[in-house]
Amino acid sequence: MILERGKKKCECGKMAVWVYMPGYANDDSPYICDDCISSSEDVGCSCNWNYGLPQEGLPTDEPEGVEGKDWRWVEKEADDYEGAITKEEGYWQYLDERGRPYPCAEYEYDEEGFSDYTWLGRKIADLSWSWYIFRIKKKRKFKAWWKKHIVDYIPQKHEDLF
């Protein structure tokens, strides 16, 4: 099609099926393929960690399935940013079918990939948004004009008609 050039690519060249929704401040691409999103050695994002030790007054969050296949303990060596995390601290996470931790909740997944539009396709999309916003602004201006010039000038004795 003239408007779509194909699908967004990961930096490795494969079709991207994950996108980091907040995006990046620099020129890094937020699009990532399924092979580059995570590996079995990654500790994963803390938004997917669960706490499995008993706590007073709270139910224990115990993993289901086989350890090492469906879930694993979060274990990490200390680095410049965080301290070490051990199994004894009680954090665990579910794993995907490839034994990798799930990516951060800020990633969106699309099995069919994300469209990469041509210059013309982007301009048409921008124009359609501009037209939509223009219509909303015009509608708001008309409502304000109507209230100022029509509704506000209705005599008190005829207000019940409106």
Side-chain angles (χ1 to χ4, degrees):
M1 180 191 250
I2 193 169
L3 304 178
E4 188 178 311
R5 116 176 77 224
K7 299 294 182 181
K8 294 280 188 184
K9 303 280 186 206
C10 177
E11 291 178 0
C12 72
K14 295 179 184 173
M15 181 181 74
V17 292
W18 294 95
V19 63
Y20 185 58
M21 295 305 290
Y24 293 103
N26 53 13
D27 289 336
D28 289 346
S29 173
Y31 297 96
I32 302 169
C33 71
D34 205 33
D35 293 333
C36 295
I37 190 72
S38 181
S39 75
S40 57
E41 290 83 36
D42 288 345
V43 70
C45 182
S46 61
C47 67
N48 291 321
W49 295 357
N50 300 285
Y51 189 68
L53 297 180
Q55 299 177 65
E56 188 177 325
L58 295 174
T60 304
D61 193 8
E62 296 179 1
E64 297 176 8
V66 180
E67 182 179 352
K69 181 179 182 257
D70 299 314
W71 66 276
R72 73 172 180 205
W73 295 105
V74 175
E75 296 179 291
K76 176 183 168 306
E77 294 181 12
D79 59 20
D80 294 340
Y81 306 104
E82 295 177 311
I85 300 171
T86 63
K87 178 180 177 178
E88 288 73 32
E89 292 181 49
Y91 293 103
W92 61 272
Q93 62 190 334
Y94 281 113
L95 304 174
D96 68 7
E97 64 278 349
R98 295 164 124 183
R100 307 173 302 181
Y102 287 99
C104 180
E106 294 179 335
Y107 282 93
E108 180 182 337
Y109 178 78
D110 187 344
E111 187 176 312
E112 297 176 10
F114 300 92
S115 297
D116 189 13
Y117 294 100
T118 62
W119 177 86
L120 180 60
R122 282 194 308 274
K123 290 300 172 195
I124 289 173
D126 291 346
L127 216 122
S128 63
W129 271 110
S130 298
W131 175 248
Y132 176 74
I133 291 169
F134 171 77
R135 285 187 7 225
I136 289 173
K137 286 181 178 179
K138 283 294 182 190
K139 190 174 185 179
R140 286 183 184 155
K141 284 182 180 180
F142 177 73
K143 283 182 177 180
W145 179 89
W146 183 265
K147 181 176 180 342
K148 180 179 178 184
H149 296 287
I150 306 299
V151 176
D152 289 348
Y153 285 113
I154 297 174
Q156 292 285 332
K157 61 182 178 180
H158 297 294
E159 273 188 351
D160 60 338
L161 298 174
F162 292 92

